[in-house]
């Protein structure tokens, strides 16, 4: 559902003028030092995007160890559930159609995805990978998929074409899975679990989706800026304070048409992109929920999307209609 994306939201630092955001990590290293905290940021490429983890703690060695373990957690999720690795468990499952004794790091997000598919009436569906392949190949030729090809791809989509258990995951012939609609949020959850176990109280996590715990190193709450979908470099709204997890799905991240009418999020029933919304942001107690619900709500539209998110405790949603 998602491929390699530009940054969709902008991290803001401590409370104050929005211009302070441009100062980045360098601005709060002195603030952290004044409070006896060591602050470290580590970045890299993972899950088809850039990832960045910022943590603060009283002991520099413990902070570095936590970052190392947290990046290890991201790599483990990649090895299990990312389509950006040709040898991942998910990629092997798509090639073979069956995977015995699946990695729990694949089974957990897949089970969530299948549950969300049922809860959303199929608006969210992890079997839309054939649609991504069809649209990406057509776009590479400067075309849109033809009606016959679209019908054939839609016929291979359906979350009920998957069976998943600890013993095996099985796909019906022609079915292919993508967990790009949940895997970045799932990785954020795994990172936060590592940091909590390591005793890290203050952290900001960007795995393509965002998570925050504790506070900015100057003691004020974290803030999260939300991009304007038509001017992604511009901050259109701010979540303040920001804690927990947030995910944005938008028509601007990967577009197949200049007007953003065709993009990387698909309605599984039609094989085409939903037309009503430019972006949806969901905040939630888990990255997995934020990530999946933002995609589902994008497909459902504002009324049904708000209803779906409202059925999940602790979640909230923001919509931006197409201009």
């Amino acid at each position: 559902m998602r491929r390699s994306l530009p940054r969709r939201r902008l991290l803001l630092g401590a409370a104050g003028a929005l211009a302070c955001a441009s100062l980045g990590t360098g601005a709060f290293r002195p603030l952290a030092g004044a409070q006896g905290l060591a602050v470290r940021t580590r970045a890299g490429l993972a899950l088809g995007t850039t990832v960045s983890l910022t943590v603060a703690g009283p002991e520099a060695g413990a902070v570095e160890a936590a970052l190392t373990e947290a990046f290890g957690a991201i790599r483990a999720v990649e090895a299990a559930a990312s389509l950006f690795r040709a040898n991942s468990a998910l990629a092997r499952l798509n090639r073979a159609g069956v995977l015995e004794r699946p990695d729990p790091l694949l089974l957990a997000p897949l089970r969530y995805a299948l549950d969300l598919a049922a809860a959303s009436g199929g608006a969210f569906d992890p079997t839309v990978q054939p649609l991504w392949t069809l649209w990406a190949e057509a776009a590479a030729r400067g075309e849109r998929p033809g009606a016959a090809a679209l019908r054939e791809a839609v016929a291979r989509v359906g979350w009920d074409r998957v069976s998943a258990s600890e013993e095996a995951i099985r796909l019906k012939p022609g079915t292919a899975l993508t967990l790009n609609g949940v895997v970045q949020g799932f990785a954020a959850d795994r990172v936060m679990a590592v940091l909590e176990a390591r005793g890290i109280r203050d952290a900001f996590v960007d795995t393509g989706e965002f998570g925050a715990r504790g506070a900015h190193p100057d003691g004020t709450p974290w803030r999260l800026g939300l991009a304007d979908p038509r001017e992604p470099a511009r901050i259109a709204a701010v979540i303040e304070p920001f804690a927990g997890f947030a995910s944005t799905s938008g028509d601007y991240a990967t577009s197949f048409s200049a007007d953003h009418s065709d993009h990387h999020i698909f309605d599984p029933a039609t094989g085409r992109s939903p037309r009503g919304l430019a972006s949806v942001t969901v905040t939630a107690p888990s990255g997995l929920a934020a990530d999946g619900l933002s995609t589902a709500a994008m497909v459902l539209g504002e009324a049904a999307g708000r209803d779906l998110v409202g059925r999940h405790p602790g979640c909230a949603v923001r919509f931006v209609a197409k201009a």
Side-chain angles (χ1 to χ4, degrees):
M1 293 185 189
R2 284 185 183 78
R3 305 301 283 182
S4 182
L5 308 183
R7 289 275 60 80
R8 292 161 294 166
R9 294 128 323 228
L10 304 176
L11 164 63
L12 302 183
L18 294 184
C20 291
S22 65
L23 299 176
T25 304
F28 61 70
R29 284 187 187 277
L31 298 171
Q35 297 203 34
L37 297 174
V39 60
R40 298 289 186 272
T41 295
R42 193 176 298 183
L45 297 175
L47 304 167
T49 188
T50 55
V51 300
S52 177
L53 313 179
T54 296
V55 302
E59 205 279 309
V63 168
E64 293 288 356
L67 283 171
T68 297
E69 188 175 344
F71 262 89
I74 293 173
R75 298 304 179 198
V77 171
E78 274 195 308
S82 175
L83 288 180
F84 294 96
R85 283 194 176 189
N87 64 343
S88 72
L90 178 57
R92 289 186 280 113
L93 169 62
N94 279 345
R95 288 193 293 268
V98 62
L99 188 67
E100 305 286 345
R101 294 292 174 185
D103 189 324
L105 294 180
L106 172 58
L107 189 59
L110 175 57
R111 280 178 160 168
Y112 178 83
L114 294 173
D115 287 345
L116 182 56
S120 66
F124 182 96
D125 195 316
T127 68
V128 296
Q129 183 61 16
L131 293 171
W132 164 262
T133 302
L134 178 67
W135 278 93
E137 290 177 351
R141 300 189 301 269
E143 302 172 355
R144 300 176 79 240
L150 201 58
R151 284 195 300 271
E152 190 277 335
V154 168
R156 295 190 287 129
V157 172
W159 60 274
D160 57 351
R161 297 170 63 87
V162 182
S163 65
S165 70
E166 288 82 0
E167 287 70 36
I169 301 172
R170 300 182 187 277
L171 309 179
K172 288 188 177 180
T175 304
L177 289 170
T178 173
L179 293 177
N180 287 354
V182 293
V183 71
Q184 292 175 343
F186 180 61
D189 288 335
R190 300 294 296 179
V191 167
M192 280 298 194
V194 166
L195 298 181
E196 183 175 6
R198 283 277 185 171
I200 299 295
R201 296 176 55 188
D202 304 311
F204 196 101
V205 170
D206 174 4
T207 61
E209 313 305 343
F210 288 104
R213 63 183 280 114
H216 186 281
D218 73 354
T220 59
W222 293 109
R223 308 166 77 205
L224 185 68
L226 305 181
D228 182 331
R230 293 298 168 260
E231 296 181 55
R234 187 181 78 84
I235 296 170
V238 178
I239 298 174
E240 179 185 8
F242 173 56
F245 298 86
S247 172
T248 296
S249 294
D251 63 5
Y252 57 97
T254 301
S255 291
F256 299 120
S257 61
D259 64 356
H260 306 294
S261 60
D262 301 318
H263 52 85
H264 69 295
I265 297 173
F266 308 109
D267 182 339
T270 67
R272 301 186 184 277
S273 299
R275 299 299 176 93
L277 296 168
S279 69
V280 178
T281 298
V282 172
T283 54
S286 76
L288 197 56
D291 204 358
L293 287 171
S294 69
T295 303
M298 186 83 178
V299 175
L300 286 168
E302 185 166 353
R306 192 179 301 280
D307 178 70
L308 175 68
V309 174
R311 299 200 303 267
H312 291 73
C315 297
V317 61
R318 301 177 184 217
F319 298 93
V320 177
K322 282 189 185 292

